[in-house]
Amino acid sequence: MKKAISIIAGLLLLPSMTLAVSLSDVSSNAYKTDIERLIDDGIVGGYNDGTYRPNNLINRAEFLKIVIGSNIERITPSYDGNKCFNDVDTSQWYADSVCTGKEIGVVGGYQDGTFKPANNISYAEALSIIFKMFELTYDSVDGDWTAPYLYHSQENNLAFGNSFDPHRLITRGEMARIITSFMDFKPNGRLIYMNDDLVDTNDKTLFVSEDDYENYQEDILELVNAERAKVGVIALKLDTKLNAAALVHAEDMQENNYFDHTSLNGDTAQRRARAQGYNKSVGENIGWNYHSPEEAMEGWMNSVGHRNNILSNIYLDLGVGRACDSNGVNCYWVQVFGTDWDAE
């Protein structure tokens, strides 16, 4: 099913948690910001020697595992233990991601029934996987199979556009830039797919009105507590200070066209909560382009990190914020969870 692109990100803030990872070979790299973002989001990691090795090439298995693990399109690996390619041993660390990728149609392998997991991945191969993960469709373009990926990446300012040779092998640093560009992709005024119908994001009649969101905070709370009840966790209660902190961040992301736990001025979820007078430790979920409380909750519950926040027994309070543009498009959703211990 073709859908609108929806993006989510979850963050658990605890007093002892370090969000920024310092790696010795990243600070001067051209893709420093992209690498650090993926590391902070738990999508990639460094090596035991404290390096990231941004100039190393990345193979097909590594790239696919990172994309699947990032939950870019709310994919949860569902590997059943069966062999999916002739050369993918079920005991290998990447088997679950490769076989999940095959199951959802992101990769198909070669005619001889192999996947060639150890082969370094090319720029066009990486774009092909990400386009399929996002379920992005595109117009046909003259040329070989790589042409539409290069053309539409260039048109939408994604990855490196058509500035790279499609068969160029990509590095770990370049991989970070490619993935973050798609994570930040916001289709604005372009055709996208939603609920199997081709729609134009400029047509405001296609989206719910502001009135439909009048009770969105209570609706999210009800949905959250219903999920918590299923696992025997105490119900949360809405907190006005956390509501304010969530709304501030949702409105800021919408007005300034970004998607991140850290505000453009450097404020974190903890700082935003403290600014509203809430001095306990907090966690945060954010989401983009959901068009109802139910859709937002479905997206969060389909992602391990966000689901863990929603179901965690350390939280007592909840704040919810939402901000959309004038057309009801580009809706940003924020959940802020409050604990019972003081923040450092």
Side-chain angles (χ1 to χ4, degrees):
M1 181 178 71
K2 301 179 179 69
K3 306 177 255 193
I5 299 171
S6 302
I7 306 176
I8 53 181
L11 177 65
L12 170 63
L13 298 181
L14 298 176
S16 62
M17 187 172 188
T18 301
L19 294 179
V21 176
S22 178
L23 297 174
S24 61
D25 57 351
V26 169
S27 61
S28 61
N29 189 266
Y31 309 113
K32 172 181 181 292
T33 300
D34 305 290
I35 294 168
E36 290 182 342
R37 177 177 175 185
L38 294 187
I39 291 173
D40 285 346
D41 285 350
I43 296 172
V44 299
Y47 291 91
N48 291 333
D49 62 359
T51 64
Y52 176 78
R53 305 175 193 175
N55 298 321
N56 282 15
L57 297 177
I58 184 168
N59 66 37
R60 287 164 54 83
E62 291 170 330
F63 184 82
L64 184 55
K65 187 171 181 67
I66 289 170
V67 173
I68 293 285
S70 71
N71 284 313
I72 286 178
E73 185 58 19
R74 297 183 290 175
I75 295 298
T76 300
S78 56
Y79 178 47
D80 60 6
N82 293 320
K83 193 167 186 176
C84 57
F85 290 105
N86 295 338
D87 58 347
V88 174
D89 190 314
T90 57
S91 65
Q92 292 297 317
W93 56 268
Y94 52 77
D96 58 345
S97 297
V98 171
C99 293
T100 295
K102 181 179 181 181
E103 179 184 342
I104 63 178
V106 171
V107 294
Y110 294 90
Q111 291 182 348
D112 61 0
T114 64
F115 177 71
K116 301 184 182 4
N119 281 15
N120 292 322
I121 195 167
S122 71
Y123 179 51
E125 288 174 325
L127 290 180
S128 171
I129 289 173
I130 296 251
F131 267 69
K132 291 170 183 174
M133 280 293 293
F134 272 94
E135 296 183 276
L136 293 175
T137 62
Y138 44 82
D139 297 329
S140 60
V141 176
D142 290 338
D144 64 12
W145 69 270
T146 70
Y149 300 118
L150 296 179
Y151 173 81
H152 289 288
S153 294
Q154 180 70 22
E155 287 293 297
N156 294 290
N157 298 314
L158 291 167
F160 299 96
N162 61 9
S163 64
F164 275 16
D165 183 295
H167 303 294
R168 167 181 171 163
L169 302 180
I170 64 171
T171 66
R172 285 168 52 83
E174 291 163 348
M175 170 275 296
R177 170 63 56 83
I178 292 170
I179 290 180
T180 57
S181 75
F182 278 84
M183 291 172 69
D184 290 333
F185 178 47
K186 298 174 176 59
N188 186 8
R190 291 186 287 270
L191 289 176
I192 61 176
Y193 280 96
M194 184 172 66
N195 299 328
D196 286 334
D197 295 318
L198 188 61
V199 302
D200 193 318
T201 58
N202 287 323
D203 184 350
K204 61 182 68 177
T205 65
L206 293 168
F207 298 92
V208 295
S209 68
E210 287 291 313
D211 292 339
D212 293 327
Y213 288 117
E214 184 176 355
N215 299 312
Y216 72 88
Q217 291 171 323
E218 290 80 4
D219 290 342
I220 289 287
L221 177 68
E222 181 178 351
L223 292 166
V224 165
N225 284 335
E227 296 294 340
R228 291 172 69 86
K230 294 177 184 178
V231 296
V233 181
I234 189 173
L236 302 181
K237 62 182 184 299
L238 282 178
D239 183 275
T240 56
K241 294 174 182 178
L242 292 184
N243 278 343
L247 183 59
V248 163
H249 192 40
E251 290 180 341
D252 188 55
M253 288 191 292
Q254 194 280 315
E255 291 172 3
N256 293 291
N257 194 35
Y258 73 99
F259 184 77
D260 205 306
H261 289 289
T262 303
S263 304
L264 296 182
N265 65 1
D267 280 351
T268 61
Q270 192 65 66
R271 290 180 185 173
R272 290 188 292 270
R274 187 178 289 117
Q276 300 299 326
Y278 193 94
N279 296 313
K280 305 293 186 179
S281 291
V282 302
E284 182 180 79
N285 284 345
I286 59 177
W288 175 77
N289 206 28
Y290 296 122
H291 298 91
S292 70
E294 292 78 11
E295 189 176 318
M297 276 295 295
E298 180 184 0
W300 282 323
M301 289 299 294
N302 283 335
S303 169
V304 174
H306 309 91
R307 183 171 64 249
N308 288 345
N309 274 352
I310 289 169
L311 301 181
S312 175
N313 60 10
I314 70 172
Y315 294 126
L316 302 175
D317 301 321
L318 177 67
V320 183
R322 177 200 55 83
C324 301
D325 64 14
S326 59
N327 290 340
V329 188
N330 296 338
C331 295
Y332 291 80
W333 296 78
V334 178
Q335 291 177 314
V336 183
F337 302 88
T339 67
D340 62 352
W341 64 78
D342 293 334
E344 291 185 346

